[in-house]
Structure formats: structure tokens, C-alpha cells
Amino acid sequence: MQLGMIGLGRMGANMVKRLLKGDHQCVVYDLHQDAVKAMQQSGVIGAASLADLVAKLPKPRVLWLMLPAAVVDENLALLAPLLDAGDIVIDGGNSYYHDDIRRAAELQARQIHYVDVGTSGGVAGFERGYCLMIGGEKETVQRLAPIFSTLSPGVDAAPPMAGRDKPGSTAEQGYLHCGPHGAGHFVKMVHNGIEYGIMGAYAEGLNILRHANVGKQSGEVDAETTPLRHPEHYQYELDLPEITELWRRGSVISSWLLDLTAGALLQDPKLENYAGRVSDSGEGRWTINAAIDESVPTPILSAALYARFSSRGEAGFADKVLSAMRHGFGGHLEKPVKPKED
Amino acid sequence: MQLGMIGLGRMGANMVKRLLKGDHQCVVYDLHQDAVKAMQQSGVIGAASLADLVAKLPKPRVLWLMLPAAVVDENLALLAPLLDAGDIVIDGGNSYYHDDIRRAAELQARQIHYVDVGTSGGVAGFERGYCLMIGGEKETVQRLAPIFSTLSPGVDAAPPMAGRDKPGSTAEQGYLHCGPHGAGHFVKMVHNGIEYGIMGAYAEGLNILRHANVGKQSGEVDAETTPLRHPEHYQYELDLPEITELWRRGSVISSWLLDLTAGALLQDPKLENYAGRVSDSGEGRWTINAAIDESVPTPILSAALYARFSSRGEAGFADKVLSAMRHGFGGHLEKPVKPKED
Amino acid sequence: MQLGMIGLGRMGANMVKRLLKGDHQCVVYDLHQDAVKAMQQSGVIGAASLADLVAKLPKPRVLWLMLPAAVVDENLALLAPLLDAGDIVIDGGNSYYHDDIRRAAELQARQIHYVDVGTSGGVAGFERGYCLMIGGEKETVQRLAPIFSTLSPGVDAAPPMAGRDKPGSTAEQGYLHCGPHGAGHFVKMVHNGIEYGIMGAYAEGLNILRHANVGKQSGEVDAETTPLRHPEHYQYELDLPEITELWRRGSVISSWLLDLTAGALLQDPKLENYAGRVSDSGEGRWTINAAIDESVPTPILSAALYARFSSRGEAGFADKVLSAMRHGFGGHLEKPVKPKED
Amino acid sequence: MQLGMIGLGRMGANMVKRLLKGDHQCVVYDLHQDAVKAMQQSGVIGAASLADLVAKLPKPRVLWLMLPAAVVDENLALLAPLLDAGDIVIDGGNSYYHDDIRRAAELQARQIHYVDVGTSGGVAGFERGYCLMIGGEKETVQRLAPIFSTLSPGVDAAPPMAGRDKPGSTAEQGYLHCGPHGAGHFVKMVHNGIEYGIMGAYAEGLNILRHANVGKQSGEVDAETTPLRHPEHYQYELDLPEITELWRRGSVISSWLLDLTAGALLQDPKLENYAGRVSDSGEGRWTINAAIDESVPTPILSAALYARFSSRGEAGFADKVLSAMRHGFGGHLEKPVKPKED
């Protein structure tokens, strides 16, 4: 098929390359024309503007936006007047699904079809394929099957599921029409919420292993600190790169995220290249909002989000309140600074 | 090698079968002689008692205990007097590593070697191999390499790690000498703690997806309930068996636990075969104890443990306290029972 | 002053009574005319309709809405056309502050003043006074000072704060102009979020005390349950009514909520009158939403909210997912039902 | 009565002063003889050594230890040989109740009575009185009633509880025999666990109020940060000293800890005197251990403990793991440092 790609960041550029390998034709645009030029060597047609992009695509056009969620609406506002009835606009970024529902209605008024696609895979997606969670009208989604089929990992990417016999389903290919407008980003949102939780579970566990030698440190004795009762239980110097490699085989917690972790620890066993300030990108937050709207308890997913906030110092004032209270009732003074280390 | 297996439950019996496939000789014992008889058809030598088991093994003996953690000590008390200097006792169950440290010292007084092995793999281990986390003396562990090598999944069980070049390491085989006595069960303990967290992350996320249709239910209006502000955002009927199958390919959250979840949902999409009372088996609790001793924050792993407690009704009295307080300050009465459903 | 009260539920009726004691004149209206009639014996003027209420008040009118948050907008839609420029509408219920911001703008277009008042105090407020958190225009709030002064507890309700010297401040009276439109309900929202957390802290702690006798129960031995290692540490039969009464004097955790708890336990030591299904009324949810928007970590306040969700069975499907996974990897079956008790 | 006090820190010295006011005679000892001298001006008898202290007390002796938990055992080891059958040793510090159970048995072998007293009140206790949670033999506790009666706040310290009619109970005085050995410190332990939770609830809520102005800050637009969707909802500059003072009157969350918080914010509205490194002193940890042993879910109390760990940088390595994973799957780099501010 022919497809126009708007946005050539890490994700967009790799997706175009994967589409080219699958013999699709791509016209590409990015505000940064350098990115467009860099791609043209790969056999794509570059566009100098949104209007140019639209002009270079056959009708009904298929346009894929791969942009930061914060700029999708302004791009849509510029793009929509350039389009014709029957064209399809796909938002493959990390939009909030509320926006999908609104945008789909707005574009429908112009007879333009809107499809939301939650895209997982990251920088490995070019090789590994992208897991695509799709929302929109059934017919529109079906028309885009060749695109989705090329982008997704394909059936061989995982062992077949015993007992599964659903010939019509595309889930085994790695893409799925999840429901009406917004359903794709809704499922991707929760996917990312789960991702935060899983990442946090590994991180907490590895932190425990990392400090299995605390019994070797001599403790201080004062009224505010309880000494370690059994230092003899914490005398282990554990080799995290080896342990994470070990867990990749046969353990209940083997996963792709574990593979990445083992790889990172292999290169940098103490993770000295990182300061531990962890960003969060929206989906983790929206997941909690949805959970609360639905009355679904999500202590794990929330804890994972808050750990990221705290890693960036956002608990600071709350911590000061605690210190002030302790001073108030017990006359406790804060202890000297212990630098944030590993 | 020759090995005596004590305990022929789900785990022990399968491990013997895998050892037989690897051309080891096994003498087996279980308190339930039926289990011994069932195994004898597989080519093992059965033992009628611990003494019989010990008598049928060549010196220095290798004995593997695969028993509930609660009965290991009583079995060791019976077993130790039957053994000779130089014999090796392996505890492959889910013992607390504190007990390993104590037992190793006790057995060392008799010149018996003790090895603790955290074993992950579950019922799939016979086919998939067992991930073995090992603690003990270096030489003893090395002597057991043929056993560990057969039980573990082997290098092909996971894709090779780019950049890894550690020829002497066994982690790539799926077994690892983690450190001195207790280190094996310590690492396994944290492994299970992580497992609880990962499981909980999927469970919470799927619960959100499951209730993505709450906007279809009409709400009640009273002073105690806030109505859903945007029911139009919760109109999705999501297909969980399809979505979990989808995530197996290309997504960031693909894992073996996800494979199992997709399989369970394929068979029973609403999980009607389960009541939702979730057991916990010790390692999850000990993980939190260790984290607290080490001053390591583990909100995710704790939340996962508490969710299991709550699933069994253990929050009941706390909930009553909340209701009593609400009655006290607001005159609030509890609403009629909503049965615990999915 | 003269004030029209709309809504004569638990809160509204008591507030009218307190205003009467302070020599204000009240015209009252409720959809349920029985409530109006019941109040008329107290010396108020009853109104048969919103129009009647408006007609019976002198201009510029002051109207106080004390209604479930879910019906405020529909009442405002009926009321606004009946009002004149310069009238004041107060929403003293539990509205979401987003709505305050919107409503204030809508009413401003009609030159009607809007004031949001977060009201704490519950059923005890008639005697104890109401803590009032107020948002709106400065001049409008000042005009209402006589009302606020009567409703609030007054300076003697708490011991004077050492070193405090802010003569103009009304905080010591128990009411405060917190900021522009919405600020009152914003502060009340967070107040309730804190309330959930405090309540939950007591509830969890009392649950631990309640089960300090678990060492007396004989445990089962199987591969899935870890026995209590030290039953001798859990042999206490603690008297919760006495302990909560004790804590009321001199302890760091004395509070009004503790007073209520001690009172409830005195009447019903095992809280057998409650089933433990705990409602949540909106502010707790909105507090978390605000925290997430602000990147403020709130693990405690979230945990308190989720405990209420879980008390109503909302974790059910997540729990089933855990059981299904455990069956998948370990062949574990759920244990027989343990009824939800205290 | 006559009482020997061992340990003249913040708590011990004030307790002696309160006992003196109640016409008890005190012999005092502290390793730092300066502390002894300082007290002698108050009318106590100083002791130069433990032996001297014991010699100066009439038999049967009553000795009260008010020491850091970490040094109680070494002091008891020195003290016990100096005592006689029938003497009473009271540990009023923050000992782990496991130690009480052990010590009581050890001392019982010498016919010495041991009493554990959990003491709440902090530096305000001299004026306000101490809330005393007592474990030990019934008769021994009864013999000490004059001491407990003087130290505790007395019945007037809280409003009488409606409907309470338990003439024999001392809970209304502010002291209580909670149960056998260890029961006092068990109840105090849980008391402190609750305290952590309550403190954390206020701290989180105040942090939300503090950042109610985040909408005034301009956000950045990139693929990793989700912009604040409604900055117009976060335009409030809230006055925390005024709001906390306000809540002291009539609100549901009024408490002694709130009084302290309001006082601290009055003196230092931004809490600039604190860095936010919060200590924890043992009871919070042991509370979680007990909860886990009892299978009682305690997400709030745990979160409160972990917030303290995190405030001291203990999540550092876990945070680095998250950053490393994010780099692995998404090529994400950490953002520049944002200093830990309020």
C-alpha cells in the first residue's frame, strides 16, 4: 500500500523502514527536514510540507501520525483541511484515548476516517516487529490490514498457544482490532501501566539482592535507629549480571524486560551510567485515572508510578513535613545527609 | 551420577524423570509409598524408608530433598544420623534461607555437606528445565554439576545475550552458584517476590480492561457515591483472550507468565473456574522481611503480597473499622451487599 | 443575615439549626416537602419550590445549596434563571472543584456570585461546628462572614497555637477563604483524601492488634502454606475498646477519628454490626487525580482508596487472574473458601 | 514510691521530673554523669554506677530503663546480677516485644519481675503526660499503679466517652495493662506503625496542596512527558499555615499530629529548615513484620515506612534499574537533574 508518515523520530523512522522491507511505498514528512533527507536514501519519497505530503499520496489517502502526543492536535488541525472524504488518518503515537474519541467525531464530520493504534516495541521494533493495538471502524481497520501485517511481528514471534484455534484472528500476527475509537490506545495505555508495574517489580527485587550485604556494615547505636538484628543473614555479595542471565532460562519470571535488564547489567553491573531519575510518559498516569473511574484497585500500578515521581524528588515536601512532625513530638533532628547512591 | 530423591510431589517426581532422561540413576523415597510405586515403572529404584534409601546409595551419597518447607527439618533430623562424613544433602524446596544457614552449620558438625537450591519452573519444568539458584561450598556445588546441568534448561532455552563472553559461567545453562549457604534460597526468595509483583501487575491491568464497559451501567445518585463523570469513555467490551494473545508478540510486556495467562483466558475467558482466593507460600513474605531489614523500599512487592491476603478476606476487620468510623462521623450506613464477582 | 437553604439532608438540616441558634433567618427548600415541614417547627420559613424560595428572600439573595454533588448542576440550571444580578449562590456540598470553576464562570455571565464551601464536620457539626474551606471572590466571601462565623466552631474549639499572632485571620475561627473559585472544594477534597489515609492507618493497625492471637491457631502443613515460624509471639488477646480509649490520652495518635473509633468499639467490640463494605464518595478519587496531575506521589492515600474498592469486591477479577496463573505454572488449586470474617 | 531511673535522655529526664512532681522519690543513673548532675538540682538522688543505683534503692527495688533499644540487653546483663529476688525491672523504651518475652523468662529464672512499657508522648510528655501501654504479670503491674498513675495524663486529658461505664479500668487515666510479657511493646509497636501512616497521610495531602499551582509553570513538549491537560485547574497558591490551623477546628482530621504540623508550618511555612531525610526507629518495621506473620494486609503502613526509606535515597538502585530498562526498550535517556526541592 501507499502510506504517508508524519513524524520521523525513533519510532516513525524505523516503522517506515519496516514498511519498505514489506514493499509498501512511503511518503514521509517531518518538521525537521534533515530527518526527511536522511530517510530519502532508504527509498522513500520526501515531502517538504504537510500539503506536499498530501499532494503526493493517491486517494483515498492513508496517513500515519507518529508524533509526541502533545502535538497531535495541532498537526491534525493543519492536516484535516487538506484531506478529502474517505481519507484515513492513523494516530500511532501515545495519545490519550479520550482524544481519540473526540478526534474521530471531529474528522467524521468531514467524512475522514480516524484510527488509533497503540504501538509497542520500542527501538527493537524494526527487527522484532511492533505489537499493534487498534481502535476504529471495522471496515477501515480491515482496509489497513496489509500495513498492520507488515509492521507486526508475525505468528512465529512466539510459540503457538496450545489449544488455540481461531483462524480469523490476527492476534497471533501481533495486531488486533480491539474495539471502536479509542480502544487501541485504551489497551495500549493499560499495557504501559502493566509495563510500569513489571519494571518496578524487577527493580525492587534487584535492589534487595544488591543490598544483601548490609550485614557487613557496622551500624550506629542511637535512640532513632534500630540496629540490624541478624547481620549474619546479610553477608551475600550477589552477582546481578549473572543472576539476571540465569533467570532468563527456565524461571517463572523470564520475559523480554528481563532480557533487557540482563543486557544492561552485563554492560554496566552497578548501573553507574544512570542517575535514577525516571520519566513517566502519560499512559501510566491515565491507567490509574481509568482504574479509579472503574473502581478497580491498582496498588501495584500506582506504586510503580509513584516510584517514578519520587525518583525525581517529587516527595520532597512531604518528607519535610514528616521531619517537621518528628521534631515536633520527639525533638528528633534529621541525620546528616546520606548521598543518594545505589 | 546417582542421586536419592526424597519427596515425589509435583516437583520431585518430574525432576526424577528429567534426571532419568539425562542418564542419572535415582533412588526415590516418599512417605506415600504409592508415589514410590508409581515412579518405579519409570526405571528408578524405590526405597521403603529413609534408611533403605540411604542404604541403596553409594558413598559419598547425594540426597535431594523436595519437600514442603515445613517438614524439611523433621526429615533432616531423621536423615542425618543415617549419613556419613562426605555425604551431600540438597534442599531443593522452598526453605527460608535462615534455615539453610543454620542447617549447614549443624550438618557441618557431622562433616555432611549441605546445598540449598532454589528451584523455579513449576509443572512445566520437566519439559522446559528448571532454573536453579544454588548456595553452598564451591567444591560441593561443582561436584554436583552433572545433576544441575541435566535439570537446568540449557543454553538454547533463551536467545544468546549480545556482547556476553563469560565462558566459565553456568548462568547461561540455567543454573548458578550464587554464593555461600543460603544464597540459593535467598535469590529464589527474591525471585518469587518479583514473581508476585509481575503477576499482580498483569492482574490489575486485566481487571481494568475487564471493566472498560462500566459506562454502560446506570449509576445511582446519592450523597455517598460519585457518579462516573464520563460514561462515554467506558463503553468498551474488550476481548481479554485475544488481547493477551496479541501481547505475546512484539510487546514490551511479553513474558512466560503472559503466555500462561493467555492460555488460561483462552480456556476460560471469564475465569469462572476460579474464586479468586490466592495463596501465598512464604517467599513473598520473606522477601518483604529482607527488604525491611535492608531498608529497601518495596511498595510493589508488598502490594502484591497484600492483595493475596485481601483476596482471602484478611482485610475484613480493617474494613469494618472504616465502616464504623464513617457511621460515627457521617451517619453513613453500609450499602447492600454486592457479591464478589469478576 | 437571611439565607435560603436548598437541601435538608443530614448536613443541611443541622446547618439550618445552627444558623437559627445564631439568630440568622432561614428560608428552606427540599424536594421532599416532608423535610421542609419537619424543619418549620424550628422557626424557619418553608418554601414549596425553588421559585417560592427565591421569592421569599430579600435581594441581594444568599442561597446555600447542600445537595448530593450529582444533582447540583440540574438544580443550578433551574435556579439561575430565577435569580438577579448580585445574588450569591453557595455550594456547600461535595462538588468537584472543576465544576466550581465552570459554574462560577457561567453564573458570572449573569452577574451572579458563586462561592464554593467545603464543609467538614459530619453529623457532629451541629454541636461541634463546621470547618469551612471557602473559594470565591474576596468581597463576596467577606459579605458572608456572619454566616461563616456562626457555622464554624469558633476559636475555643482548639487550644491556642503557641506563637500565633495573625489577628485578621479567620482560620482560628474555623473558616478560611482559601483562594479563588474552586479553592474551597480543592482544599476540602485533599482534606478528605487525608481523612481516608488516617482512617486506613487506624484500621490496619487495629487489624494487626485483632489478630495478635494467631499463634493459638494450629496451622496446616502443605507445600503452599508457610507455617507461622514463631507462634509463641502471637498469643495475645488484646482488648481493642480499652486500647483505643487508652490512646485518647497522651499518645501521639490521639485524634477525633480515634475518639469515634473508641466509641464504636465500646458499643460493639467486634464490630459485628458491620459487614465491611466501605463506600467512597468522590473526594478520595479526585485527590489521587490531582496528585497525579501534579506528579505528587501519594502511595498512602491511594492505598486507602483501593482498600475501599477491594472491600466491595472490586479486586475479584484480578484475584482470579492470579489463581489462574498459579494453576498454570504450579498446578496450584485454590484452597476451600474461608469466609470473610473479622 | 521509690524508683531508680536508668537513662536520662529526652524521655527519661522528663519522666523523672514528672514523677518528682507526683511526690515519688527517684534515684537516677546515666552513663553520662553530666546528665545525672544536671538532674540532681531537681531533687533526685544521683548514682555513680549501676551498683550504686541498686544500693541506693530499698528492696524490693523498682528500676525503670529508658534507653535506646539497642543497648537494653547489655545493661540488663550488667544489672541483673546486682538485683535480688522480688525486684522489678521495667523497660520503658522502644524494645522489640520478642526481646521482652525472652528477657522476662531469663529474669524469671532469677525471680526478678520484668515489665514492658510502651511509652508515647515524646517531649511534650512532661506537661501532657505519657500514654503507657503495659505488658507483664498482673500483680506486678498492679504494684506499680502509683508510678503509672503519675506518669499518665489522667482522665481529664480527653473528653469523657459517652456511654462508657468501666469503673475499674485505667485506660481512661492513660495507662493500661494490655496483657502478658511483650503485650505493652506490641501495642506500642502497632501504635507507632499507625503513627507512621497518619503522618504520611498528612504529608502527602500537604504536598498536593503545596503543588496546586503547577498549572502556572510552562511545560515542555517531548515524546516522554505528557503535558498537564488542564493547567487552569492548578492555579492555586494555598496558604498551608492557615489551612492547617483551620483544620484544627471542627474538621474530621483534627488531631494532635495536626496541631504539631500547624505549629511547624507557622514557624517555617516552606519547611526550609528540613532536608526531608526521615528516620525510622524500629517499630514501623516490626509492625509490618507482625502484619505479615498474621496475614494482615497493611498497604498504608508499609507505604509510610517505604516513604521514609526512599527519603533517604534507598530506592536509588531500583530507580537506576528502571532507567536502564527504559534505555533498553525505548532508547530513552534520563532528563537533566531536577534538584530535590519542596
Side-chain angles (χ1 to χ4, degrees), chain A residues 26-62:
Chain A
C26 296
V27 190
V28 304
Y29 170 73
D30 193 288
L31 197 61
H32 302 91
Q33 284 288 307
D34 288 351
V36 175
K37 275 169 201 146
M39 288 244 64
Q40 276 173 307
Q41 299 156 354
S42 313
V44 301
I45 301 166
S49 66
L50 285 177
D52 187 32
L53 179 80
V54 169
K56 285 174 171 164
L57 284 167
K59 297 185 197 175
R61 301 178 189 91
V62 176

Side-chain angles (χ1 to χ4, degrees), chain B residues 176-193:
Chain B
L176 182 69
H177 181 210
C178 296
H181 297 302
H185 278 137
F186 187 94
V187 173
K188 174 56 159 50
M189 171 187 82
V190 175
H191 167 283
N192 280 32

Side-chain angles (χ1 to χ4, degrees), chain D residues 213-232:
Chain D
N213 63 358
V214 290
K216 294 183 173 178
Q217 299 158 20
S218 68
E220 46 206 321
V221 169
D222 59 42
E224 299 196 22
T225 310
T226 186
L228 189 57
R229 290 176 74 84
H230 293 288
E232 72 275 18

Side-chain angles (χ1 to χ4, degrees), chain B residues 214-269:
Chain B
V214 289
K216 294 185 173 177
Q217 299 157 20
S218 68
E220 46 209 317
V221 169
D222 60 43
E224 299 196 21
T225 308
T226 185
L228 189 58
R229 289 176 74 84
H230 293 287
E232 71 276 16
H233 290 158
Y234 298 95
Q235 299 288 331
Y236 301 119
E237 301 288 348
L238 299 172
D239 185 333
L240 270 56
E242 289 295 283
I243 289 169
T244 45
E245 180 68 29
L246 168 72
W247 286 344
R248 297 181 64 218
R249 289 177 182 82
S251 94
V252 171
I253 61 171
S254 58
S255 71
W256 190 58
L257 281 165
L258 178 64
D259 293 348
L260 295 176
T261 308
L265 286 164
L266 178 67
Q267 299 303 326
D268 179 7

Side-chain angles (χ1 to χ4, degrees), chain A residues 159 169 181 234 236 242 248 293, chain B residues 159 169 181 234 236 242 248:
Chain A
S169 161
H181 296 302
Y234 298 96
Y236 301 119
E242 291 295 283
R248 298 181 62 218
D293 278 348
Chain B
S169 161
H181 297 302
Y234 298 95
Y236 301 119
E242 289 295 283
R248 297 181 64 218

